[in-house]
Amino acid sequence: MYVREVKKMNTIICINKGKGPFYEVATSEGETLRVSEDLLVRFRLLKGKELSEEELKEIKKSAGFDLGLQQAMNYISYQLRSEMEVRTYLKDKEIEKQDRDLVVERLKELNLIDDKNYGESYIRTQVRMSDKGPVVISQQLRKKGLKDSVIQEVLPLYTEEMQFEVGYHTAEKAMRRFHNKSHKEMIQKIKMHLMQKGFHQGVIQMILDELPMEKDEDQENEALQREGARLMRRHQRLPLMKRKMKIKQGLYQKGFAIDDIQRFLDEEVMDE
């Protein structure tokens, strides 16, 4: 006797409004599908409708892409995002890889993801808002997932003139911070500070040449007295000769002239 195989059907038992632009579709088999309004209309999902396994599979496939696209659109609505940022966001939202790929391709078609455009915008913002040089900005763009070829294409937007302007303001702030150091140490610290901020050596030298950093003898002497007093307190328990040697080494490392150091030792570190 021939028994006809009956395909198992799922019946929609209720449809509720979910979070955001999504709806939750519950079936008689205990499944809950999260779908957009577009999918509700496209598949004519209504309470009481029976769904075959093939239809259910197609809805799930479309729902993954649809959900990912909606979430990505919301994510990029606040600010520009790189392709890697969008992919990472979708992965964190547990969107399947094949759906992530489709979403990214769709966003590219709509010109909503463009790493070159993102890089240009990022550089303009950093030049206007930050104190970073091109080296650090390149590193930041690389962390955002931009390819080196794209970075090299957009980096010329940060012209040498702009670098000098940003770096000069950064150096002025550093000069105020290090004003209590010796003249030599202040220059070294400003130079190191600019290097850490990502400026190239050539631009750094241009900045140092323009900074008003003429040596002030009174200020230099005050710095020496202050640093010398600190070293005297630090090494006060040492024997006299060793104490003098330690103070002399410390002051020399701080960039003070050897004649000024010797004068300080003669005046301040008295023989026992």
Side-chain angles (χ1 to χ4, degrees):
M1 179 178 176
Y2 175 73
V3 179
R4 184 180 179 184
E5 182 181 354
V6 179
K7 290 188 177 181
K8 192 175 183 180
M9 302 292 284
N10 244 326
T11 303
I12 297 175
I13 58 176
C14 69
I15 300 175
N16 296 315
K17 184 71 173 70
K19 291 183 179 180
F22 298 101
Y23 292 82
E24 294 179 348
V25 179
T27 72
S28 57
E29 294 297 319
E31 288 194 78
T32 300
L33 307 174
R34 192 181 183 198
V35 301
S36 67
E37 186 173 353
D38 178 63
L39 285 186
L40 281 179
V41 175
R42 195 191 319 166
F43 288 94
R44 297 183 176 85
L45 301 179
L46 300 169
K47 183 178 178 180
K49 179 175 181 176
E50 292 185 335
L51 301 172
S52 66
E53 290 184 8
E54 289 77 12
E55 286 177 314
L56 199 59
K57 185 177 180 181
E58 185 62 28
I59 291 170
K60 288 179 180 179
K61 181 180 178 181
S62 298
F65 166 77
D66 209 46
L67 174 61
L69 183 61
Q70 291 290 341
Q71 289 181 326
M73 294 286 279
N74 181 63
Y75 180 58
I76 65 177
S77 66
Y78 301 102
Q79 65 181 67
L80 288 177
R81 306 285 185 178
S82 69
E83 178 179 335
M84 189 187 79
E85 286 179 317
V86 173
R87 287 185 179 277
T88 301
Y89 177 80
L90 292 175
K91 184 178 181 181
D92 291 341
K93 292 295 182 178
E94 300 182 347
I95 302 298
E96 296 293 332
K97 185 181 184 307
Q98 62 268 24
D99 292 323
R100 297 200 299 267
D101 292 340
L102 291 172
V103 168
V104 168
E105 286 307 310
R106 180 57 178 154
L107 292 175
K108 285 182 176 180
E109 291 172 2
L110 296 171
N111 293 320
L112 295 176
I113 289 182
D114 184 332
D115 276 357
K116 181 175 181 291
N117 183 44
Y118 175 89
E120 291 174 345
S121 176
Y122 189 89
I123 288 175
R124 292 191 188 98
T125 300
Q126 291 299 305
V127 170
R128 187 174 69 254
M129 304 292 291
S130 82
D131 58 358
K132 304 297 188 298
V135 176
V136 169
I137 290 178
S138 294
Q139 293 170 348
Q140 291 173 336
L141 287 174
R142 204 167 285 115
K143 289 180 181 178
K144 299 289 186 180
L146 272 67
K147 296 177 181 177
D148 286 340
S149 58
V150 176
I151 294 173
Q152 293 306 312
E153 188 176 356
V154 301
L155 203 57
L157 285 174
Y158 196 2
T159 64
E160 189 175 89
E161 182 180 354
M162 292 177 179
Q163 293 173 38
F164 176 84
E165 184 177 347
V166 173
Y168 189 88
H169 290 311
T170 302
E172 283 184 319
K173 293 179 182 178
M175 188 166 63
R176 289 193 292 271
R177 189 196 314 173
F178 302 130
H179 75 280
N180 60 342
K181 306 295 183 182
S182 72
H183 186 261
K184 183 178 179 180
E185 186 182 14
M186 180 177 69
I187 294 174
Q188 290 173 338
K189 284 188 173 294
I190 292 173
K191 185 175 181 179
M192 181 60 66
H193 183 67
L194 290 172
M195 289 177 65
Q196 291 171 344
K197 291 293 184 179
F199 292 94
H200 293 295
Q201 184 62 44
V203 173
I204 292 174
Q205 191 57 55
M206 289 168 57
I207 293 168
L208 293 177
D209 290 343
E210 292 297 321
L211 281 175
M213 293 193 301
E214 292 184 7
K215 189 173 181 179
D216 185 312
E217 294 298 337
D218 291 337
Q219 185 173 311
E220 186 81 355
N221 185 59
E222 287 179 10
L224 187 148
Q225 294 291 330
R226 186 165 45 248
E227 185 63 26
R230 186 186 70 82
L231 290 169
M232 286 175 63
R233 291 192 299 272
R234 181 177 179 182
H235 302 302
Q236 61 183 337
R237 297 182 182 278
L238 295 177
L240 180 62
M241 293 306 296
K242 192 169 184 179
R243 190 192 322 154
K244 281 187 173 183
M245 182 183 70
K246 287 288 187 180
I247 294 171
K248 189 173 186 177
Q249 288 176 343
L251 291 173
Y252 186 75
Q253 289 170 355
K254 291 295 183 179
F256 294 103
I258 193 67
D259 290 343
D260 294 337
I261 294 172
Q262 190 58 53
R263 184 162 51 252
F264 172 81
L265 292 173
D266 292 341
E267 294 175 355
E268 302 295 335
V269 185
M270 307 298 292
D271 291 340
E272 292 180 338

